Amino acid sequence: MASLAFPSLSSLTISRLHSQKAPFLNSSIPTPSMSTFKHPSVTLHRFQCGVIRMQAGEEDFELKQMRDMAAAKKRWDAMIREGKVKILTPREAGYAIQLSNKPLLDVRPSSEREKAWVKGSTWVPIFEVDNKFDVGTLSRKATNFVMGGWWSGVPTLSYDSQFLSKVEEKFPKDAELIVTCQKGLRSLAACELLCNAGYKNLFWVQGGLEAAEEEDLAREGTQPLKFAGIGGLSEFLGWTDQQRAQAAREGGGYRLLYSIRLVGVFVVADALFIGAQQVGHYLQDIRTH
């Protein structure tokens, strides 16, 4: 069997999936420390060294994440090659649900689930939006935003250590269970956990709900299933692959809407720039007088 076409393992994708407690990504975040001395020059030198160590630590952490994800991909590839998890397309999953009454386990976070979901599906997120405000979470939120969250709208997620127990409460180990997420990556991680826990009849929706056409699955919610994973500035401007495909089908009216939004962004940015200049001139005049 040929190697599976898994979703792209970019650094942003890895940062979305990573969690200190996730058993399939067993890594920890290095915490650099700095000593403070009374002499200013020594303090500055120590601070500079601390910054360099922190940058090196972040690079090492990213490399470790990439290695962990590469190892996970190999395990997932073998898991499917050995028949422990079977592949379904979104359309085949729709047939299985409709004709065989197989249950669908949706492991997406609430940020995606609340936009669109498959009718009758069971929702148990393997990762959930992290709404805590401790120092560590705020640091991860800032990193996620800088690394592309502002553009993609992807929130900071944390692994739910109760995921397995929640699934076991709802489904017996002999259930024929279809597992899906938005793109197909987190559902593979879920399949590995479920397989190791003794579930023997697992089906993975390749490509996730993002690969589903409207006629493939009975949908509920305010948006098409394809659009549930988009957000941020890219969604507002209509620059996602899903929106471009929609624009190609619907024609000029759809494109006009997002063109107007783009012009609006430039107008607002220009107004902010001019306002900042005026404030700067005003403060300079105050200082000179």
Side-chain angles (χ1 to χ4, degrees):
M1 177 179 175
S3 179
L4 295 171
F6 290 121
S8 173
L9 299 182
S10 64
S11 59
L12 180 57
T13 301
I14 293 171
S15 69
R16 295 174 190 172
L17 232 170
H18 175 75
S19 169
Q20 284 180 272
K21 297 182 180 179
F24 40 86
L25 290 176
N26 184 21
S27 54
S28 57
I29 300 177
T31 306
S33 61
M34 293 183 291
S35 302
T36 304
F37 297 87
K38 294 182 180 180
H39 195 283
S41 62
V42 177
T43 301
L44 178 60
H45 174 71
R46 290 290 182 181
F47 175 77
Q48 291 172 337
C49 291
V51 170
I52 293 172
R53 287 197 300 271
M54 183 179 295
Q55 291 173 341
E58 289 176 353
E59 290 175 0
D60 290 343
F61 175 56
E62 290 179 2
L63 289 173
K64 189 175 190 308
Q65 282 186 309
M66 293 179 70
R67 288 195 297 268
D68 289 341
M69 281 302 304
K73 179 185 179 298
K74 289 181 180 179
R75 294 196 308 272
W76 298 338
D77 201 347
M79 180 176 65
I80 294 179
R81 187 173 59 249
E82 294 167 5
K84 296 178 180 178
V85 176
K86 301 174 182 64
I87 298 175
L88 294 177
T89 65
R91 178 163 296 183
E92 290 170 342
Y95 289 149
I97 295 169
Q98 183 178 1
L99 301 178
S100 304
N101 202 31
K102 286 184 174 62
L104 178 69
L105 176 62
D106 184 349
V107 301
R108 296 176 301 161
S110 57
S111 57
E112 297 171 357
R113 169 80 180 188
E114 64 190 13
K115 296 178 182 178
W117 61 93
V118 177
K119 184 177 180 180
S121 60
T122 299
W123 179 50
V124 183
I126 186 171
F127 288 87
E128 184 53 296
V129 178
D130 196 336
N131 293 317
K132 296 192 294 293
F133 290 97
D134 56 89
V135 175
T137 301
L138 291 175
S139 174
R140 290 200 300 122
K141 286 179 182 290
T143 301
N144 179 70
F145 183 82
V146 170
M147 290 184 66
W150 63 274
W151 177 254
S152 67
V154 175
T156 303
L157 303 175
S158 291
Y159 171 68
D160 184 359
S161 60
Q162 301 300 312
F163 170 74
L164 269 178
S165 61
K166 291 177 181 178
V167 175
E168 289 172 343
E169 289 176 1
K170 297 178 182 294
F171 300 105
K173 297 291 179 66
D174 60 351
E176 293 187 325
L177 193 57
I178 302 173
V179 185
T180 191
C181 62
Q182 190 63 28
K183 295 177 179 292
L185 189 61
R186 287 168 294 195
S187 52
L188 269 176
C191 282
E192 181 181 18
L193 291 177
L194 293 169
C195 183
N196 292 339
Y199 283 85
K200 303 299 183 183
N201 299 302
L202 297 172
F203 299 84
W204 170 60
V205 180
Q206 189 170 29
L209 297 179
E210 191 168 294
E213 301 297 337
E214 277 296 288
E215 64 272 13
D216 291 344
L217 295 156
R219 173 183 62 86
E220 294 183 323
T222 59
Q223 298 186 22
L225 290 168
K226 284 179 175 291
F227 285 26
I230 64 176
L233 185 59
S234 61
E235 179 187 18
F236 180 77
L237 295 177
W239 283 359
T240 65
D241 293 338
Q242 298 91 320
Q243 290 168 303
R244 286 197 292 267
Q246 186 82 359
R249 289 194 298 269
E250 297 193 8
Y254 197 86
R255 288 192 290 268
L256 178 62
L257 170 64
Y258 291 103
S259 298
I260 292 172
R261 289 186 179 184
L262 178 60
V263 172
V265 168
F266 280 115
V267 170
V268 171
D270 186 58
L272 290 173
F273 178 73
I274 293 173
Q277 283 186 320
Q278 291 176 343
V279 170
H281 292 155
Y282 176 72
L283 294 175
Q284 187 174 7
D285 290 341
I286 292 177
R287 287 196 297 270
T288 55
H289 292 88

